[in-house]
Amino acid sequence: SPDQLKTIRRWGQEILFPPDPMGGTWLASSSSGRIACLLNGAFEAHHRQPPYRKSRGLVVLEVFSYPNIYAFCNEYVLEDIEPFTLIVRDPKGFIELRWDGKKKHHGNFKKQMPIKAGGGRQWFSIPLPSDFKTGPRRPRRNFGSNMFKSKC
């Protein structure tokens, strides 16, 4: 709800987000036109291995401290952070960054990606094994994993 949104002023911009209990978020937008969304997992379900160095939600906010999404992708250190998929759009581009717990994978997209009924891309969080209440499910096909480069 709008009552739970928080606005902070950092790195020369206003950042709007719903805070999580760790002070981070899963979704944020800024006055500079950047939007970031974080989803659980990279390519497949993973077993949690805490302690992690940092909450993934804090990574989302730190995206806004970099001059562009490509600098973030190349420079940000992700070791000891739980696997995730991060989708970031800003005026300079659009990137999907996946961290599998060992290596960064990314895909670049056209600057102006069209959004049309029945088209475009869809993203889903990768369920954790604890999410399988009725036993393991048949693995889903790994759509699009061949489009990723190993480094940003």
Side-chain angles (χ1 to χ4, degrees):
S1 86
D3 296 347
Q4 297 170 344
L5 292 177
K6 182 176 181 179
T7 302
I8 59 173
R9 182 144 188 85
R10 284 196 196 144
W11 308 295
Q13 59 196 319
E14 287 187 352
I15 303 166
L16 177 68
F17 63 99
D20 68 18
M22 300 296 292
T25 190
W26 298 92
L27 179 66
S29 66
S30 75
S31 56
S32 68
R34 189 174 297 171
I35 300 168
C37 177
L38 188 132
L39 304 171
N40 289 329
F43 296 106
E44 58 190 22
H46 66 279
H47 292 279
R48 297 195 76 230
Q49 298 177 358
Y52 291 105
R53 176 174 61 88
K54 181 182 294 195
S55 163
R56 294 172 289 182
L58 295 172
V59 173
V60 174
L61 292 177
E62 290 172 358
V63 165
F64 298 94
S65 70
Y66 286 77
N68 59 64
I69 56 179
Y70 305 105
F72 170 81
C73 183
N74 286 317
E75 299 168 16
Y76 197 85
V77 177
L78 293 170
E79 280 75 26
D80 297 321
I81 295 177
E82 189 169 5
F84 62 83
T85 299
L86 181 66
I87 301 110
V88 184
R89 173 79 164 88
D90 75 10
K92 296 193 184 275
F94 184 73
I95 198 165
E96 177 180 354
L97 171 65
R98 293 186 188 217
W99 169 246
D100 65 12
K102 296 178 184 168
K103 187 165 61 171
K104 293 178 187 178
H105 307 267
H106 85 290
N108 290 308
F109 299 95
K110 294 177 185 174
K111 186 174 180 183
Q112 299 300 324
M113 188 174 181
I115 298 173
K116 57 186 175 185
R121 284 189 57 88
Q122 297 178 9
W123 286 272
F124 302 92
S125 280
I126 305 298
L128 296 172
S130 62
D131 293 335
F132 299 133
K133 305 289 186 218
T134 59
R137 297 179 190 163
R138 194 177 94 205
R140 292 187 318 179
R141 260 185 80 197
N142 192 356
F143 292 103
S145 63
N146 61 348
M147 65 164 278
F148 292 94
K149 299 176 183 176
S150 62
K151 294 184 179 179
C152 295

